[in-house]
């Protein structure tokens, strides 16, 4: 069984909440609910993240430590004090792999100024990647819809996931029976239902 229990806060963070599958947020907070739900699914089914971003190189096994947090505060930041990314992913086998997550839902689009700031913060905190999520489409996950300065991409890998890509990847994983664990299949099925819901 994967390591999913409450852990000490990673050194890159000074605050945050462990991602929850069942959110207690107000229904008006659609962006935070969607992010928390997705990150909680990643905690339960890390293979989904591995399928979306294959080049991370991490391998999932019984010793893998995988956790995700929402509403995080980074240890080092150049932005305003109330500036906080939507999420943070922590994976550890022999080596650690970490990522900041910034998500938008509906018609909201990513902000170049905000994403650039988070890329700078990722570099300052030794975080490996920045993952942006929105309804904006790009041909490859390694291609951002924003013109992010090249100097920031030498230390930090930047990935972009569209919600449609996440949905289609989850459907493919379920249909190809990539996952044999019944609990994981159930969680993937619930994510598919969640992302297909018009209210989401």
């Amino acid at each position: 069984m994967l390591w999913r229990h409450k852990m000490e806060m990673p050194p890159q963070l000074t605050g945050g909440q462990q991602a929850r599958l069942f959110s207690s947020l107000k229904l008006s907070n659609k962006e935070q609910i969607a992010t928390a739900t997705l990150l909680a699914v990643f905690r339960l089914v890390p293979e989904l993240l591995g399928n979306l971003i294959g080049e991370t190189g991490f391998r999932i096994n019984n010793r893998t430590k995988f956790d995700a947090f929402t509403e995080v505060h980074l240890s080092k930041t150049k932005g305003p004090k109330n500036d906080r990314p939507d999420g943070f992913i922590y994976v550890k086998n022999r080596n650690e792999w970490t990522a900041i997550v910034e998500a938008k839902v509906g018609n909201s689009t990513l902000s170049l100024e905000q994403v650039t700031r988070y890329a700078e913060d990722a570099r300052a905190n030794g975080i490996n990647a920045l993952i942006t999520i929105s309804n904006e489409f790009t041909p490859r996950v390694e291609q951002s819809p924003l013109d992010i300065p090249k100097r920031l991409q030498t230390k930090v890998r930047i990935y972009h996931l569209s919600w449609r890509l996440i949905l289609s990847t989850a459907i493919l994983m379920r249909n190809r029976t990539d996952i044999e664990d019944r609990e994981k299949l159930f969680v993937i099925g619930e994510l598919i239902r969640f992302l297909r819901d018009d209210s989401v």
Side-chain angles (χ1 to χ4, degrees):
M1 178 178 287
L2 288 174
W3 184 83
R4 301 171 185 150
H5 303 293
K6 189 172 182 180
M7 63 176 288
E8 293 182 7
M9 199 68 65
Q12 297 92 341
L13 304 182
T14 59
Q17 309 254 350
Q18 205 167 31
R20 298 170 62 179
L21 189 59
F22 303 106
S23 176
S24 58
L25 294 164
K26 292 180 181 179
L27 292 178
S28 58
N29 295 329
K30 290 185 178 181
E31 186 175 289
Q32 293 175 23
I33 291 171
T35 306
T37 300
L38 178 63
L39 293 181
V41 170
F42 284 162
R43 287 180 62 209
L44 295 166
V45 192
E47 295 90 339
L48 175 59
L49 180 61
N51 271 273
L52 288 164
I53 308 176
E55 68 174 52
T56 54
F58 65 78
R59 296 290 179 265
I60 304 302
N61 56 51
N62 291 338
R63 297 180 183 176
T64 300
K65 294 182 179 181
F66 192 111
D67 218 328
F69 299 84
T70 58
E71 302 177 66
V72 297
H73 296 275
L74 298 172
S75 297
K76 300 174 185 176
T77 179
K78 295 182 178 179
K81 289 184 178 179
N82 61 349
D83 200 14
R84 59 186 185 188
D86 292 319
F88 179 83
I89 295 170
Y90 176 93
V91 183
K92 183 175 182 182
N93 285 315
R94 288 184 178 179
N95 300 313
E96 288 185 354
W97 185 87
T98 52
I100 291 174
V101 178
E102 178 58 26
K104 302 294 181 186
V105 299
N107 294 324
S108 297
T109 56
L110 296 163
S111 158
L112 177 60
E113 180 184 357
Q114 183 184 47
V115 171
T116 298
R117 227 169 34 238
Y118 289 159
E120 290 174 340
D121 289 345
R123 186 169 66 173
N125 287 278
I127 295 169
N128 301 94
L130 168 61
I131 301 172
T132 59
I133 306 170
S134 73
N135 281 316
E136 296 158 277
F137 177 78
T138 58
R140 305 185 315 278
V141 296
E142 300 87 1
Q143 183 177 336
S144 174
L146 303 172
D147 188 17
I148 300 169
K150 298 292 184 186
R151 63 181 175 79
L152 295 175
Q153 301 183 50
T154 56
K155 296 283 187 179
V156 179
R157 300 304 302 265
I158 296 175
Y159 304 100
H160 178 71
L161 308 175
S162 69
W163 289 107
R164 184 172 294 278
L165 175 64
I166 294 167
L167 173 59
S168 62
T169 302
I171 292 171
L172 280 172
M173 288 177 67
R174 182 191 62 182
N175 293 348
R176 288 193 316 230
T177 62
D178 286 3
I179 299 172
E180 297 179 1
D181 186 295
R182 289 178 60 188
E183 291 182 4
K184 290 185 176 184
L185 278 173
F186 174 77
V187 171
I188 285 288
E190 289 301 295
L191 176 66
I192 291 168
R193 290 179 61 189
F194 176 77
L195 293 176
R196 280 178 165 169
D197 193 303
D198 289 339
S199 66
V200 178

